[in-house]
Amino acid sequence: MIETRTEALHQNAEGLDVQTPEAILAFLANAQIEAAKAVHGAIPAIAAAAELIARQLKSGGRLAYAAAGSSGLMAVADALELPGTFGIARDRIAILIAGGDEAFRTLAGGPEDDTEEAAAAVAKADIGKGDCLIAISASGSTPYAVQAIGDARRRGAATIAIANNSGAPLFGEADVAILLETPPELIAGSTRMGAGTAQKIALNMLSTLAAVHLGHVHDGYMVNLTADNIKLRDRAVRMVAAITGRSRDEAARLLEESGGVVKTAILLAAGAANADAAEKILEGTGQKLRPALSAIEGSKGR
């Protein structure tokens, strides 16, 4: 029997509806903090999952997310940010959400029980060997998520499960199981609250660490970003200037010479002969900037 903490009554819930507005909000805020703390216990599993994701992406595979309801929204929020933040190509990411596009308008409950839809979504996305699928479900027993991860595993994909209840069926189909032991919700069963907060934090950690493994982060900079608006183009200039010690004008010139690629611009500043040479150096270091800079520095001494 699954321990359904997500459906249990919170210790501060009794008489909640007759408390003052300020007291209710304080309870809600504290419940979010309690939920966030639960992520600490999952750090080893998140680390293993991030390594798995990076390995699959590095070898040419795709990253897929499968979920329903509030967990689906957490998945979408993480997935849609990856191209802009870390430069991961959009065609390398698949989002499987119960109810499809209609979920963004109604988020009806029925589709989360639709195992046929889940199976069809996995097949249509052609998830299989070389790919990695993350299934997310607060209860850990949502039929859509369980079907999706099971099908993905049977098709040869690597699998990661994120759930908020121990003993979740979802974990039985996972190469890596991430248990987020959040307390019961202040509003029993309303997993868009504490459970959802913990899921969002875990997904942030997971995708960011995977990006670090892939060489998309240098110090605290997102050096593989896609600069497709004014804010991000300015951020790219500031990154190049900060890492190279050059002026903003010189950083902008280097970015233009590199075709807008931050890592290439930085290597040009470090002494790479041209953009093509810089890109070859990056290929040799697995797209990691730090060893690429060391390679250029080492070549100067020869």
Side-chain angles (χ1 to χ4, degrees):
M1 187 69 180
I2 302 171
E3 179 193 1
T4 53
R5 287 162 62 90
T6 50
E7 296 293 332
L9 195 66
H10 192 279
Q11 61 183 0
N12 293 329
E14 188 174 349
L16 181 68
D17 53 299
V18 294
Q19 298 288 334
T20 65
E22 291 80 5
I24 293 171
L25 292 175
F27 284 139
L28 287 167
N30 287 334
Q32 291 287 292
I33 293 168
E34 289 173 3
K37 288 178 180 178
V39 178
H40 283 280
I43 284 176
I46 294 171
E51 189 173 352
L52 180 58
I53 290 169
R55 185 165 67 243
Q56 300 298 85
L57 287 174
K58 192 176 292 185
S59 64
R62 292 169 298 149
L63 175 62
Y65 297 74
S70 298
S71 296
L73 298 182
M74 297 303 103
V76 169
D78 193 65
L80 292 183
E81 293 276 13
L82 297 185
T85 305
F86 297 124
I88 297 172
R90 293 186 187 279
D91 63 5
R92 303 284 299 284
I93 300 165
I95 304 170
L96 284 54
I97 184 169
D101 291 345
E102 185 62 29
F104 299 111
R105 289 182 287 274
T106 62
L107 205 64
E112 75 175 45
D113 296 332
D114 195 337
T115 55
E116 289 184 5
E117 182 194 337
V122 171
K124 183 178 180 181
D126 197 24
I127 305 301
K129 189 174 181 180
D131 299 327
C132 181
L133 181 134
I134 308 170
I136 308 127
S137 164
S139 68
S141 59
T142 303
Y144 182 96
V146 173
Q147 181 72 40
I149 195 172
D151 280 13
R153 185 181 181 88
R154 285 184 285 276
R155 292 167 63 95
T159 53
I160 296 165
I162 299 176
N164 299 74
N165 285 311
S166 61
L170 205 65
F171 292 151
E173 300 286 355
D175 293 313
V176 180
I178 299 173
L179 172 61
L180 305 174
E181 292 192 276
T182 47
E185 303 289 354
L186 193 61
I187 308 299
S190 184
T191 53
R192 72 184 181 89
M193 301 169 72
T197 293
Q199 289 172 0
K200 183 65 171 71
I201 294 170
L203 286 166
N204 284 346
M205 294 165 65
L206 183 56
S207 54
T208 300
L209 182 54
V212 171
H213 287 318
L214 291 167
H216 298 338
V217 177
H218 179 85
D219 291 334
Y221 296 109
M222 51 178 82
V223 290
N224 209 53
L225 65 75
T226 300
D228 58 0
N229 63 26
I230 293 171
K231 177 187 74 176
L232 294 179
R233 285 192 288 273
D234 180 67
R235 182 177 296 164
V237 170
R238 285 188 284 109
M239 278 195 287
V240 173
I243 293 169
T244 64
R246 304 294 183 93
S247 68
R248 283 180 61 95
D249 288 345
E250 177 65 4
R253 185 193 68 75
L254 289 164
L255 274 167
E256 186 174 351
E257 187 178 341
S258 74
V261 180
V262 171
K263 286 190 248 187
T264 302
I266 292 167
L267 293 183
L268 287 171
N274 51 49
D276 287 342
E279 287 164 14
K280 285 180 181 176
I281 294 168
L282 283 167
E283 286 175 15
T285 63
Q287 296 300 317
K288 294 187 177 181
L289 182 58
R290 197 175 302 278
L293 287 168
S294 296
I296 291 177
E297 192 61 30
S299 68
K300 291 178 181 177
R302 292 199 295 270

